[in-house]
Amino acid sequence: MTAIAGKRLTLEEYFKYDDGTDSQYELVAVELVAIPPESPKNVQISLFLLINFLKFVPVNRLSNKVEIVVAGSRATTRIPDFVVLTDELATALEGATRSTITLDMPPPALVVEVVSPGKANEDRDYRYKRSEYAARGIAEYWIVDPQTNVVTVLILVDGFYEETRFTGNSASASTIFPELQLTVEQVLKAGESNT
């Protein structure tokens, strides 16, 4: 992700920003930051999770394009790879002109980030988003890391995340969706077989 030189915006300005392209941006500490296109692998993993969550969650509660305004002293938005909304949040977004979860809305039930290669991406997903999503009150945060072949499931307990790391054929355990039984290998090899 690269900050756009000199582009500092308020949250309200960010919501109105349109550079006439299909480029996607996040607002990070009031700076407009361009998000590069996802790798085919990351897209496959997100789609694989979407397909599997559809077995347990209605389609109106799933998204791979929603942005979240996260709590903090400066305006910041994040666009996760995959989100499961609560019923209350899905209702709050009905009829909205922009797929944005604002601070006055309830938090999502679960957020998934698929880590892209590079130290900056690792820091963003493992450090910054971890604290931002915890502060936002998101009950469950998954970090899917194709580089280390690990799925980290973070459960919010008393305002902080407690993490469990899963590898290989161990099933990643969701407290919100215990019926979802996916091994790390299935998630990381998304689209490579008919699993």
Side-chain angles (χ1 to χ4, degrees):
M1 292 177 38
T2 306
I4 308 299
K7 277 289 186 198
R8 299 175 64 81
L9 305 173
T10 66
L11 191 57
E12 292 74 27
E13 290 169 334
Y14 167 75
F15 287 150
K16 295 175 186 170
Y17 183 77
D18 182 0
D19 63 1
T21 71
D22 290 335
S23 297
Q24 202 170 23
Y25 301 95
E26 287 181 339
L27 188 64
V28 179
V30 304
E31 288 191 17
L32 192 64
V33 177
I35 301 172
E38 291 288 339
S39 71
K41 180 70 171 173
N42 286 20
V43 171
Q44 286 175 350
I45 290 170
S46 294
L47 287 174
F48 178 80
L49 290 170
L50 174 73
I51 290 164
N52 281 280
F53 271 92
L54 273 172
K55 297 172 185 173
F56 307 103
V57 181
V59 69
N60 72 321
R61 287 189 46 211
L62 302 174
S63 179
N64 62 349
K65 293 291 183 185
V66 71
E67 68 183 334
I68 302 170
V69 177
V70 293
S73 60
R74 298 183 283 186
T76 302
T77 61
R78 294 296 187 187
I79 303 172
D81 292 304
F82 180 73
V83 177
V84 179
L85 311 174
T86 62
D87 286 333
E88 186 180 27
L89 180 53
T91 300
L93 284 169
E94 282 179 7
T97 57
R98 184 180 177 119
S99 190
T100 301
I101 300 169
T102 58
L103 289 174
D104 62 337
M105 295 178 178
L110 184 146
V111 170
V112 176
E113 295 286 0
V114 182
V115 182
S116 296
K119 175 87 168 97
N121 295 319
E122 288 174 26
D123 285 348
R124 187 175 55 255
D125 290 340
Y126 281 100
R127 295 180 60 206
Y128 307 125
K129 290 181 183 179
R130 179 181 179 136
S131 61
E132 292 164 353
Y133 291 160
R136 188 64 177 87
I138 298 170
E140 197 165 304
Y141 171 32
W142 290 19
I143 303 170
V144 178
D145 194 335
Q147 287 70 242
T148 61
N149 296 317
V150 173
V151 173
T152 304
V153 176
L154 301 140
I155 307 298
L156 194 63
V157 178
D158 297 328
F160 296 94
Y161 282 127
E162 292 183 2
E163 77 174 52
T164 306
R165 296 168 55 92
F166 299 93
T167 59
N169 285 320
S170 62
S172 52
S174 170
T175 58
I176 300 172
F177 302 100
E179 65 277 12
L180 183 70
Q181 295 295 314
L182 294 174
T183 67
V184 172
E185 189 173 347
Q186 286 175 309
V187 172
L188 294 173
K189 292 188 176 193
E192 293 179 18
S193 66
N194 292 332
T195 55

